[in-house]
Amino acid sequence: MSPSSGPPTAGNSRIARLARVVLPLLALAALAILPKIGIGAYTSRLFFVTFVWIVASVAWNLLGGLAGQVSFGFAVFYGLGAYTAALAINGGVNPYLSFLLAGVVASAASLLVGLPTFRLHGPYFAIATIGVGEAVRVVMTNLDFTGGASGYRIVEHTRFNYTEHYYTALALATAAVGISMALRGSKLGLGLVAIREDEAAAADVGVNPYAAKLAVHALAAAMVGAAGGVFARYAAFIHPDGVFAFQTSVAIVLMPIIGGIGTLWGPVIGAAVYGALQEELVARFQQVHLLLYGILLILIILFEPRGIVGLVGRATRRFQRA
């Protein structure tokens, strides 16, 4: 390497580090300004749903991406959060306090789910989470005080405010990304990565895999539960076959895989792509949209396991070599 090649490399490194800080802040500022410059109801709804999906996607990635535990049961926490917030709001609780309560209930439920299922490994754990999700959906369909199969309606005696819902979801998505960033550099985050790579070796160096997985599961469930509560207030009507549907769990798994499982921004990118395409796919291909999701998932796993983030990284490296 020539002496003149050092400084540009160092400069590029500093620029890259600066970009990683500045670009997200610029994106957040732009999203915060959007309602002020005027966006239509449809666009506002599209952004709102995307923010909710970002929270769910980032939360799942804490367990599935960092710890390597593939769960298909996150619809349980999403649905419990939605119903908890709905019942609390109808009971006169402040909506924002109801979101916190939704997270607490979902986190408590995660312990009931995690205590037995985290003793399983590999596909057995994934199958167990599917069974738990379907069992909870059936139970909620038959509960009278939540409306059962007829669903449950939220009644707020205030005018519907698109801007308030938009900023609520944006704040929750920002908090979710912040939690993910903080967790990655923490002792728990490093322990989760060790568990993902080799659980036995992680235990040998002092990590308690069972406790660590329960802890991150509870954190992820709280985030998803709060997201479910925010969505329930916006929708004003929830149904067990919607919020507890297996399709919801599949969507939560699919988003980080699309963006880049185990990465910081992959779940955010995947949720943005899914949020933009979901309604269009459901509207145009109502009978086969799940099949399309499955095909997309298979293609990503076969050709680019690290998702969009991996694809961009590969393209960047080729460009640099060229």
Side-chain angles (χ1 to χ4, degrees), residues 50-320:
T50 300
F51 296 151
V52 171
W53 284 134
I54 285 174
V55 178
S57 178
V58 169
W60 187 91
N61 192 58
L62 298 181
L63 180 69
L66 292 185
Q69 302 296 302
V70 179
S71 171
F72 286 93
F74 267 51
V76 171
F77 313 127
Y78 186 80
L80 286 176
Y83 271 92
T84 299
L87 290 167
I89 291 171
N90 280 353
V93 178
N94 179 277
Y96 297 98
L97 186 58
S98 73
F99 303 152
L100 178 61
L101 184 61
V104 171
V105 170
S107 185
S110 77
L111 297 177
L112 297 177
V113 174
L115 285 171
T117 57
F118 280 130
R119 298 188 182 279
L120 305 173
H121 299 278
Y124 301 105
F125 171 77
I127 293 170
T129 60
I130 294 173
V132 170
E134 286 301 293
V136 172
R137 183 185 64 80
V138 171
V139 169
M140 294 300 294
T141 303
N142 291 278
L143 287 181
D144 292 332
F145 75 95
T146 59
S150 299
Y152 189 78
R153 186 170 299 279
I154 299 175
V155 180
E156 283 194 273
H157 302 287
T158 56
R159 186 178 179 181
F160 187 87
N161 189 330
Y162 280 105
T163 303
E164 180 187 0
H165 289 286
Y166 177 98
Y167 281 123
T168 300
L170 176 59
L172 187 60
T174 304
V177 174
I179 290 171
S180 177
M181 295 175 75
L183 181 64
R184 286 171 175 275
S186 69
K187 181 180 178 180
L188 175 59
L190 297 175
L192 293 171
V193 173
I195 292 169
R196 181 189 66 195
E197 298 301 325
D198 191 326
E199 187 168 326
D204 289 340
V205 296
V207 177
N208 186 331
Y210 190 61
K213 287 187 283 189
L214 282 175
V216 75
H217 195 220
L219 176 61
M223 294 162 62
V224 174
V230 169
F231 173 79
R233 186 192 179 207
Y234 178 91
F237 178 80
I238 50 177
H239 191 279
D241 288 336
V243 292
F244 287 105
F246 180 63
Q247 176 184 340
T248 302
S249 286
V250 171
I252 294 174
V253 175
L254 182 62
M255 288 180 288
I257 293 177
I258 291 174
I261 189 171
T263 64
L264 175 61
W265 295 108
V268 177
I269 296 170
V273 171
Y274 181 85
L277 296 179
Q278 177 202 16
E279 291 194 12
E280 197 68 24
L281 287 176
V282 172
R284 292 179 179 271
F285 308 101
Q286 187 172 4
Q287 303 300 323
V288 296
H289 68 279
L290 286 178
L291 175 62
L292 295 177
Y293 291 152
I295 293 172
L296 177 62
L297 182 61
I298 292 171
L299 291 174
I300 291 171
I301 292 173
L302 286 177
F303 297 105
E304 187 47 77
R306 289 182 63 82
I308 295 174
V309 169
L311 187 64
V312 171
R314 186 195 301 179
T316 302
R317 288 190 295 272
R318 286 183 178 178
F319 176 77
Q320 289 174 341

